[in-house]
């Protein structure tokens, strides 16, 4: 084919357009990945932070259920309330010491349910 054929002109235009779109895509990709406010580094750090927060959420939900269970167990009984205050917050009279006797599972013996 010579340079005067209509196919060679189209071929040159298509080659220029292909280079334009390829170049535009590369510029857009660099912009999105590195320059934009929501670039890859920011998105990754947000993902890591979200994972940490999910773990904290699970931890605190477990603690909430534990506290609710403890509350239901203790606040229904006056003797258990006093025992709980002495064990948990080390409340005592000035002239006494508080000892907690635990079983093999490290649970106070008084708090076990009747078997």
């Amino acid at each position: 084919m010579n340079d005067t054929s209509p196919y060679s002109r189209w071929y040159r235009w298509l080659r220029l357009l292909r280079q334009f779109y390829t170049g535009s895509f590369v510029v857009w990709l660099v912009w999105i990945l590195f320059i934009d406010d929501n670039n890859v580094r920011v998105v990754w750090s947000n993902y890591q932070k979200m994972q940490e927060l999910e773990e904290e959420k699970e931890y605190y939900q477990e603690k909430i259920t534990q506290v609710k269970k403890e509350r239901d167990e203790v606040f229904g009984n006056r003797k258990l309330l006093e025992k709980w205050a002495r064990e948990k917050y080390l409340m005592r009279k000035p002239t006494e010491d508080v000892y907690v006797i635990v079983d093999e599972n490290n649970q106070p013996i008084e708090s076990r349910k009747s078997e």
Side-chain angles (χ1 to χ4, degrees), residues 59-75 84 88-89:
Y59 170 76
Y60 286 121
Q61 285 177 340
E62 290 174 7
K63 289 300 247 182
I64 287 171
T65 56
Q66 179 184 0
V67 167
K68 283 182 180 179
K69 177 185 171 197
E70 195 173 87
R71 181 189 65 192
D72 292 341
E73 179 181 307
V74 169
F75 289 114
W84 178 75
K88 185 86 170 173
Y89 297 107

Side-chain angles (χ1 to χ4, degrees), residues 7-22:
Y7 293 114
S8 65
R9 279 190 242 148
W10 282 108
Y11 179 72
R12 273 191 250 152
W13 276 105
L14 287 175
R15 195 173 74 200
L16 284 174
L17 282 176
R18 188 175 62 211
Q19 289 174 352
F20 172 76
Y21 286 120
T22 303

Side-chain angles (χ1 to χ4, degrees), residues 34-87:
F34 302 110
I35 300 172
D36 192 39
D37 288 337
N38 291 323
N39 59 30
V40 174
R41 184 179 49 86
V42 171
V43 170
W44 181 256
S45 66
N46 287 341
Y47 176 77
Q48 294 290 334
K49 181 72 173 175
M50 185 180 73
Q51 294 299 320
E52 292 172 11
L53 291 174
E54 289 290 333
E55 290 174 7
E56 284 184 27
K57 178 183 172 185
E58 290 175 15
Y59 170 76
Y60 286 121
Q61 285 177 340
E62 290 174 7
K63 289 300 247 182
I64 287 171
T65 56
Q66 179 184 0
V67 167
K68 283 182 180 179
K69 177 185 171 197
E70 195 173 87
R71 181 189 65 192
D72 292 341
E73 179 181 307
V74 169
F75 289 114
N77 187 344
R78 179 108 172 119
K79 282 188 108 176
L80 283 178
L81 180 61
E82 182 179 340
K83 177 184 144 313
W84 178 75
R86 288 175 179 255
E87 290 176 4

